[in-house]
Amino acid sequence: MRVCNVVAARPNFMKMAPVVLELQKRGVDQFLVHTGQHYDANMSDVFFEELGMPRPDVHLGVGSGSHATQTAAVLTAFEATCLERKPTMVVVAGDVNSTIAAGLAATKLRIPVAHVEAGLRSFDRDMPEEINRILTDHLSDLLFATEEDGVVNLKNEGISGEKVHLVGNCMVDSLFRHVESALSNRPWEARGVEPSKYALLTIHRPSNVDDDNALRALMKAINRVSLALPVVFPVHPRTRDRMGRAGIVLADGVKLCEPMPYLAFLGMMAKAKCVLTDSGGIQEETTALGVPCLTLRENTERPVTIKQGTNRLVGSDPQAIEGAVGEVLEGRWPVGVRPALWDGHAAVRIADVLTAYTR
Ligand code: UD1
């Protein structure tokens, strides 16, 4: 057995690190490929150090580009890597362009593909990630679901139940492993705020940031929120670019900063009064931490975070955003429970299935 693990963009690292480390512990022959979809040091390198993950054995260096350009570059480069290194299993994670590209290259070479975080559906094909999720699931040989809804979605799409394993959430494995040291660093001090007395904001989805008017309306609401609660805002490079173009001016209470390393962000999340985000993973991490999450989207592919956790869809309407923050400040927010199998041992269950696999 020779496993090839693929990482590409910021949200992949904390999902794959527990799998890589668990396989390492079991002495499995494996190698790590970084497609290079994210390349800034603070969007990539720092995560390897903090998560204790080995450095990539292969770096494809694809960088940014249109969807077709980026996907095609990974497809071509990853095929060459597979031909050269001959893995017997390729593990991909999440829903970024590199996930579908690496999965497609591998399966065409008839190398079995395992998908970590399978079955999630927003039912919104305007999100490029939704297309990536559907296609990756349909070409995969092993599908590792994080929540029961994912298992149901895969069944409804006709995917054989034999391939599907409900294993829990690897991102939560990383969270449990690192939350104590994240808190001991007291990252809020460097940002000039006090525990439980700030909101944390992240936005990068095209639907929120690519349209100047939509972005202006959203940031106007955030400026108003910051009058009641300081807002710490680590800004994604794409969002920074769009904000500059739209000429957005931020209120004093909005504390803009560079994208944060994993531990700093985890510590900031754990002590936030609430988190406002359009990220997928952060909806899960806040549920695991029991911190209120206001999702600035109209839908979510992670419904368990609403049904059981601390997440609520607030959308992009300024009044709804301010109203929801008001509810948090008044202490009217569901406490939530942690979903089944979000227990810090998902990667152990994944490694059990991977090592037992025979086609
Ligand atoms: C990608 C994923 C998204 C994920 C997000 C996390 C897809 C379709 N989207 O979106 O699902 O939630 O990562 O961040 O795969 N850039 C830099 N430095 C970097 C990386 C990107 O400056 O290290 C800038 C570039 O201008 C680039 C833009 O950000 O064009 C967008 O990057 P890209 O990887 O295409 O998509 P994300 O918005 O990061």
Side-chain angles (χ1 to χ4, degrees), residues 4-20 32-33 35 37 90-103 113-118 120 129 132-133 136-137 140 142 144 146 170-171 302 350:
C4 168
N5 302 295
V6 181
V7 292
R10 189 167 58 175
N12 295 153
F13 305 127
M14 54 296 263
K15 290 170 197 165
M16 285 302 289
V19 176
V20 171
L32 184 61
V33 173
T35 69
Q37 178 169 343
V90 167
V91 184
V92 297
D95 55 15
V96 301
N97 285 342
S98 301
T99 308
I100 170 63
V113 175
H115 185 204
V116 173
E117 197 187 86
L120 297 181
E129 293 84 357
N132 295 341
R133 289 181 200 117
T136 306
D137 284 339
S140 290
L142 288 173
F144 296 121
T146 52
C170 284
M171 198 172 222
R302 293 160 160 94
I350 287 176

Side-chain angles (χ1 to χ4, degrees), residues 9-11 37-40 43 64-65 67 70 95-97 128-129 132 204-205 236-238:
R10 189 167 58 175
Q37 178 169 343
H38 282 178
Y39 42 84
D40 287 354
M43 300 286 284
S64 303
H67 285 270
Q70 196 173 55
D95 55 15
V96 301
N97 285 342
E129 293 84 357
N132 295 341
H204 72 279
R205 295 259 161 236
H236 186 289
R238 170 197 203 106

Side-chain angles (χ1 to χ4, degrees), residues 40-325:
D40 287 354
N42 59 9
M43 300 286 284
S44 176
D45 298 3
V46 69
F47 289 82
F48 286 82
E49 284 150 35
E50 293 192 342
L51 292 162
M53 202 163 32
R55 292 276 149 191
D57 299 285
V58 180
H59 205 294
L60 304 180
V62 298
S64 303
S66 72
H67 285 270
T69 306
Q70 196 173 55
T71 308
V74 176
L75 198 52
T76 309
F78 188 65
E79 182 190 56
T81 301
C82 288
L83 288 171
E84 190 192 323
R85 295 197 164 228
K86 302 192 177 11
T88 60
M89 169 72 71
V90 167
V91 184
V92 297
D95 55 15
V96 301
N97 285 342
S98 301
T99 308
I100 170 63
L104 186 55
T107 200
K108 288 272 183 97
L109 294 170
R110 303 311 298 128
I111 302 166
V113 175
H115 185 204
V116 173
E117 197 187 86
L120 297 181
R121 297 289 183 268
S122 65
F123 303 101
D124 174 7
R125 290 204 182 201
D126 285 338
M127 287 179 79
E129 293 84 357
E130 182 73 353
I131 316 267
N132 295 341
R133 289 181 200 117
I134 295 168
L135 296 178
T136 306
D137 284 339
H138 281 261
L139 62 76
S140 290
D141 301 272
L142 288 173
L143 296 97
F144 296 121
T146 52
E147 58 177 273
E148 191 60 47
D149 290 284
V151 176
V152 173
N153 292 335
L154 295 170
K155 187 170 177 219
N156 290 344
E157 290 177 17
I159 291 176
S160 161
E162 281 172 21
K163 298 180 181 177
V164 179
H165 301 266
L166 180 62
V167 293
N169 194 320
C170 284
M171 198 172 222
V172 176
D173 290 12
S174 285
L175 183 148
F176 282 167
R177 191 172 293 187
H178 296 287
V179 70
E180 262 180 48
S181 67
L183 285 170
S184 69
N185 295 339
R186 307 175 70 81
W188 47 87
E189 286 177 355
R191 276 95 196 166
V193 288
E194 290 174 46
S196 304
K197 292 190 179 159
Y198 62 89
L200 186 62
L201 169 71
T202 79
I203 43 168
H204 72 279
R205 295 259 161 236
S207 58
N208 278 331
V209 306
D210 281 3
D211 178 83
D212 287 359
N213 289 331
L215 184 58
R216 276 194 206 100
L218 186 59
M219 292 316 298
K220 205 167 155 189
I222 299 298
N223 279 345
R224 289 178 60 90
V225 165
S226 76
L227 298 174
L229 192 64
V231 178
V232 179
F233 181 18
V235 68
H236 186 289
R238 170 197 203 106
T239 310
R240 184 185 284 278
D241 175 54
R242 301 295 193 275
M243 288 202 322
R245 202 181 63 185
I248 287 169
V249 179
L250 296 175
D252 288 347
V254 181
K255 296 168 184 295
L256 197 72
C257 56
E258 289 296 311
M260 287 180 199
Y262 180 69
L263 291 180
F265 191 76
L266 180 53
M268 289 300 288
M269 249 189 319
K271 287 292 177 188
K273 187 78 180 168
C274 62
V275 176
L276 299 97
T277 190
D278 60 9
S279 151
I282 293 171
Q283 296 171 50
E284 297 181 338
E285 290 171 324
T286 45
T287 274
L289 291 165
V291 170
C293 182
L294 287 58
T295 294
L296 308 173
R297 285 171 48 188
E298 308 300 333
N299 55 49
T300 180
E301 60 287 336
R302 293 160 160 94
V304 77
T305 61
I306 294 179
K307 287 189 265 190
Q308 296 182 29
T310 54
N311 186 23
R312 199 184 300 167
L313 294 178
V314 176
S316 52
D317 174 58
Q319 273 186 338
I321 296 171
E322 287 176 58
V325 174

